[in-house]
Amino acid sequence: MKTRYIVYIALALVVGFLIFNKFHGAKDKNGGPTASGGKGKRKNGPVPVNVMIVKDTSVSNSIDITGNVDPNEKVNLISQTAGNITGIYFKEGGHVSKGQVLVKVYNQDLVASLKQNQYQIALAKENEYRSRVLLQKEAVSQQEYDTSLSNYQSLRAQGEVIKAQIAKTEIRAPFSGTIGLRSVSPGGYLSPTTPIATLVSTDPMKLTFSVAERYGPLIKPGSKVNFTIASSRETFSATVYAIDPSIDQTSRTLTVRAKASNPDGKITAGGFAKITLTLDQIPKTIMVPTECVIPDIKSSLVYIAHNGKAEQRAVQTDLRTDTKIEITQGLKAGDSLIVSGLIQMRPKVPLKIVKIIK
């Protein structure tokens, strides 16, 4: 019996202690006297922040793509006729001019035939002249004159054929440029299937790249692009001059070509290019650091400093760069945008401005 009373008393003491601790412990946490007689500390002081003064700025809407660098002109030189090579008149890797003779093939037989033809033409011309004089005097018939005239014209045509054959024995540069390594040697036999060398024109250079279909209306001849290549640390500029009229059915892209000036030969043909294509220029807009914009369910949020407290603003965004984002609605020039301490931000939180960024 006594044991039961003792249990009841113990339970009553525990319940009483819990009730006492609930009321008096809460008081201690809110700044009242503690068990040791000290005073509690308040933790609702102002939050230190940095703010940025919002201002209007201009920004370029651009995309980064890749492309290929090609020479303006490129041709693999071959011969139109077969024969032994009698001369090579270019230096490997050197510059050649348009029309310059690069290689000659044996043509002495053709030269001799041309001389023989020229003698025959001279004789046929005299015969045609005599026949024409006699025809005027009615000493020969029209048929006899026509025969002499036909013979003269036929020999002249044969001469033109021989000259064309001689021209084929001389391989000339079709345009000015830099010639590559040769694959033939003097005295070797050259056929129409034998490669001689590669000739390229490297000023200007062609830049070929593809852009997504949706960017088609924003690109036109005259548009500027900047690009870099692995063989140089410089940034080069090119101008769009041609756009493929059809869209690639597989990649849904448009092929674009631009020309880049290359007077010093710093741009190497066949290289890989990293291209920055400016689509349009926004003359007046607001750009803020990306970390200042807090995603929300319906919109995006930012905090501004107003009268010493944090104020929440809903904003609309558009263009993004590596570090900034465009605000189209919700901010105006002159607003004090909070750029630090955002984890602690709540509406009406008191602020202590540490630094102002203009």
Side-chain angles (χ1 to χ4, degrees):
M1 201 64 179
K2 291 181 179 180
T3 302
R4 185 170 57 183
Y5 289 146
I6 293 173
V7 173
Y8 288 157
I9 292 171
L11 290 173
L13 290 173
V14 172
V15 172
F17 175 76
L18 292 175
I19 295 173
F20 177 84
N21 187 64
K22 179 179 180 181
F23 288 101
H24 291 274
K27 184 177 180 181
D28 291 342
K29 291 179 182 179
N30 290 330
T34 63
S36 63
K39 292 184 178 181
K41 296 182 179 179
R42 301 180 64 89
K43 297 182 180 180
N44 58 349
V47 178
V49 296
N50 296 335
V51 298
M52 184 185 78
I53 305 302
V54 176
K55 60 182 179 180
D56 292 325
T57 185
S58 62
V59 64
S60 296
N61 185 9
S62 60
I63 56 174
D64 294 328
I65 50 181
T66 58
N68 297 317
V69 179
D70 300 306
N72 185 43
E73 302 291 349
K74 179 179 180 180
V75 64
N76 294 319
L77 298 172
I78 59 173
S79 174
Q80 292 182 295
T81 188
N84 291 327
I85 298 173
T86 59
I88 296 177
Y89 306 100
F90 67 88
K91 184 179 179 181
E92 293 175 291
H95 180 81
V96 298
S97 302
K98 181 178 179 179
Q100 177 181 333
V101 177
L102 305 176
V103 178
K104 276 189 176 182
V105 175
Y106 178 80
N107 61 2
Q108 294 304 309
D109 53 345
L110 294 173
V111 172
S113 296
L114 180 61
K115 288 184 178 180
Q116 182 182 14
N117 173 262
Q118 290 173 342
Y119 294 143
Q120 292 173 341
I121 289 175
L123 179 58
K125 184 177 181 180
E126 289 294 329
N127 290 335
E128 184 273 334
Y129 173 73
R130 294 192 189 99
S131 296
R132 181 159 27 97
V133 172
L134 294 174
L135 178 64
Q136 292 173 352
K137 297 179 178 180
E138 297 182 353
V140 295
S141 65
Q142 182 68 43
Q143 182 179 2
E144 291 174 320
Y145 170 73
D146 291 342
T147 300
S148 62
L149 177 61
S150 176
N151 183 51
Y152 170 60
Q153 292 177 338
S154 177
L155 289 171
R156 289 185 59 187
Q158 290 177 13
E160 295 299 323
V161 171
I162 297 172
K163 290 179 181 179
Q165 290 174 340
I166 292 175
K168 289 181 180 181
T169 63
E170 296 179 342
I171 294 86
R172 298 177 179 267
F175 51 83
S176 299
T178 303
I179 196 163
L181 306 180
R182 58 184 172 89
S183 303
V184 295
S185 299
Y189 185 79
L190 187 63
S191 70
T193 60
T194 305
I196 298 172
T198 300
L199 177 64
V200 296
S201 174
T202 58
D203 185 24
M205 296 290 276
K206 288 179 181 177
L207 187 64
T208 305
F209 55 94
S210 297
V211 297
E213 177 183 359
R214 65 180 180 274
Y215 297 129
L218 301 177
I219 302 173
K220 57 185 178 180
S223 298
K224 301 292 183 180
V225 299
N226 295 321
F227 68 97
T228 58
I229 56 176
S231 60
S232 176
R233 295 184 178 181
E234 292 187 32
T235 298
F236 302 97
S237 177
T239 304
V240 174
Y241 74 93
I243 302 172
D244 197 312
S246 61
I247 297 172
D248 186 275
Q249 296 295 321
T250 304
S251 61
R252 309 303 304 177
T253 58
L254 280 171
T255 301
V256 181
R257 273 189 177 169
K259 283 187 177 182
S261 179
N262 188 33
D264 300 326
K266 294 181 179 180
I267 306 174
T268 306
F272 176 79
K274 295 181 179 179
I275 304 165
T276 301
L277 177 62
T278 301
L279 301 174
D280 56 8
Q281 185 84 15
I282 304 174
K284 186 178 180 182
T285 190
I286 293 174
M287 299 293 293
V288 301
T290 305
E291 61 269 18
C292 297
V293 181
I294 303 170
D296 196 18
I297 297 175
K298 295 183 178 180
S299 62
S300 298
L301 302 175
V302 297
Y303 283 94
I304 66 169
H306 183 66
N307 294 331
K309 294 184 179 181
E311 180 180 309
Q312 190 180 79
R313 290 272 184 91
V315 295
Q316 293 185 9
T317 63
D318 190 6
L319 178 66
R320 293 174 182 265
T321 66
D322 293 340
T323 58
K324 293 187 177 182
I325 185 170
E326 181 188 12
I327 304 297
T328 57
Q329 289 186 18
L331 286 180
K332 63 181 184 296
D335 285 340
S336 298
L337 178 68
I338 298 174
V339 296
S340 68
L342 295 172
I343 296 178
Q344 300 170 273
M345 285 301 105
R346 300 290 185 275
K348 298 184 179 180
V349 169
L351 304 173
K352 179 183 178 182
I353 299 176
V354 179
K355 184 179 180 180
I356 298 176
I357 304 171
K358 296 183 180 180

